[in-house]
Amino acid sequence: MIAKLIGTVCYVGHLHPAPGTWGSAVAIPLAWLLWLVGGWLLLLIGCISAFFKGWWATKQIIADGDDHDPSEVVVDELVGQWIALMPVAIGASHAGTSFWALWPGILTAFIAFRLFDIWKPGPIGWADRRGDALGVMLDDVFAGVAAAVVVIEFAYVAHG
């Protein structure tokens, strides 16, 4: 029960179509809430915590089936999206402005993360092909890092 709650991010993973996109979308306001309460550091702590809880939950969920990456498991998307949003959270904190004031970065993080998560180039695809719970989590971590790099590059181009 707890594993399903964590793995599906409170059953968001059962939304259709595209449960991964729903998982990424719900990650944004949750990231904002963590940022609001404790800044980028709390978001980072939340991300690390969600990774380990998600890894555990995914192991439990896939233990009884043949599908190594069930579509309803979206905690990996939450973690990856939070990683993609880290430059936004850090930037808003350093600028002393609202998280939402950096909405172009939020939109870029969302789009870039979803593209990398679907496309799965390089190490993202390698992690996905592991076929285990760690691979489920790692492919989204790598996609999140790639998306964060895109966010930083876009911010550099926009702000010099």
Side-chain angles (χ1 to χ4, degrees), residues 94 118 137:
H94 284 285
I118 293 164
M137 296 303 295

Side-chain angles (χ1 to χ4, degrees), residues 109-131:
F110 180 77
I111 293 169
F113 173 70
R114 292 308 304 144
L115 287 175
F116 282 117
D117 188 32
I118 293 164
W119 179 32
K120 298 192 186 313
I124 302 165
W126 167 82
D128 184 61
R129 289 187 299 275
R130 284 179 53 101

Side-chain angles (χ1 to χ4, degrees), residues 61-132:
I61 293 167
I62 68 173
D64 297 331
D66 294 333
D67 189 355
H68 86 278
D69 192 0
S71 63
E72 69 269 13
V73 174
V74 295
V75 66
D76 51 328
E77 274 82 10
L78 176 116
V79 171
Q81 188 65 66
W82 283 359
I83 293 169
L85 289 167
M86 283 304 298
V88 173
I90 293 169
S93 294
H94 284 285
T97 191
S98 161
F99 182 84
W100 298 108
L102 301 181
W103 68 266
I106 295 168
L107 183 61
T108 300
F110 180 77
I111 293 169
F113 173 70
R114 292 308 304 144
L115 287 175
F116 282 117
D117 188 32
I118 293 164
W119 179 32
K120 298 192 186 313
I124 302 165
W126 167 82
D128 184 61
R129 289 187 299 275
R130 284 179 53 101
D132 62 3

Side-chain angles (χ1 to χ4, degrees), residues 29-48:
L30 293 174
W32 169 70
L33 287 173
L34 288 174
W35 179 86
L36 195 61
V37 171
W40 68 267
L41 186 56
L42 184 60
L43 179 57
L44 178 62
I45 292 166
C47 190
I48 293 166

